[in-house]
Amino acid sequence: VQLVESGGGSAQAGGSLRLSCAASGAARSIECMGWFRQVTGKEREVVAAIDTGDGSTYYLNSVEGRFTISHDNAKNTLYLQMNDLKPDDTAVYYCAAGPWRDDFVRTGKGAHAWGQGTQVTVS
């Protein structure tokens, strides 16, 4: 599986951005996809994850209600709509594919593939 992200950039606090992650290869075998973020010097943290089969979702507490994760099965593309952005959302955002398991959903451990990362900067 190969993952290619797009849509990062800069926004003012309170603004919105949408990230996309296109999957190719054995995309139909993916159980779960997620968005993770990392700030230099800090541990990677999950932002949101989605079960591509039944649509179940998981969100980091601090983004719930502001961010929405979705997956278009026909296009094999993952999205993250980010609204009401805050400076603390500044990070490199990565998409990942993996099993619908607690360790992957919460930490990214056991991921089958990672995207290249896209910078999101909120000022």
Side-chain angles (χ1 to χ4, degrees):
V1 175
Q2 294 79 46
L3 305 176
V4 178
E5 299 151 4
S6 59
S10 299
Q12 292 189 336
S16 299
L17 287 171
R18 188 173 87 149
L19 305 182
S20 300
C21 174
S24 60
R28 292 185 178 182
S29 66
I30 297 173
E31 290 182 355
C32 174
M33 295 189 75
W35 290 100
F36 299 79
R37 66 187 183 188
Q38 188 166 24
V39 175
T40 302
K42 294 187 177 181
E43 289 190 0
R44 179 181 62 209
E45 64 178 359
V46 63
V47 176
I50 186 167
D51 181 318
T52 59
D54 65 12
S56 299
T57 56
Y58 173 85
Y59 289 95
L60 180 68
N61 283 345
S62 63
V63 308
E64 194 153 18
R66 300 189 295 122
F67 291 10
T68 302
I69 189 171
S70 60
H71 182 259
D72 186 326
N73 287 333
K75 296 181 179 179
N76 291 321
T77 301
L78 179 73
Y79 302 98
L80 184 68
Q81 178 66 44
M82 304 184 292
N83 298 329
D84 190 23
L85 284 162
K86 304 179 185 302
D88 283 349
D89 295 320
T90 295
V92 177
Y93 284 69
Y94 299 89
C95 67
W100 183 249
R101 267 198 339 243
D102 197 60
D103 55 354
F104 171 72
V105 171
R106 294 180 182 272
T107 69
K109 184 178 180 180
H112 303 317
W114 289 91
Q116 80 280 9
T118 186
Q119 177 71 45
V120 171
T121 302
V122 184
S123 59

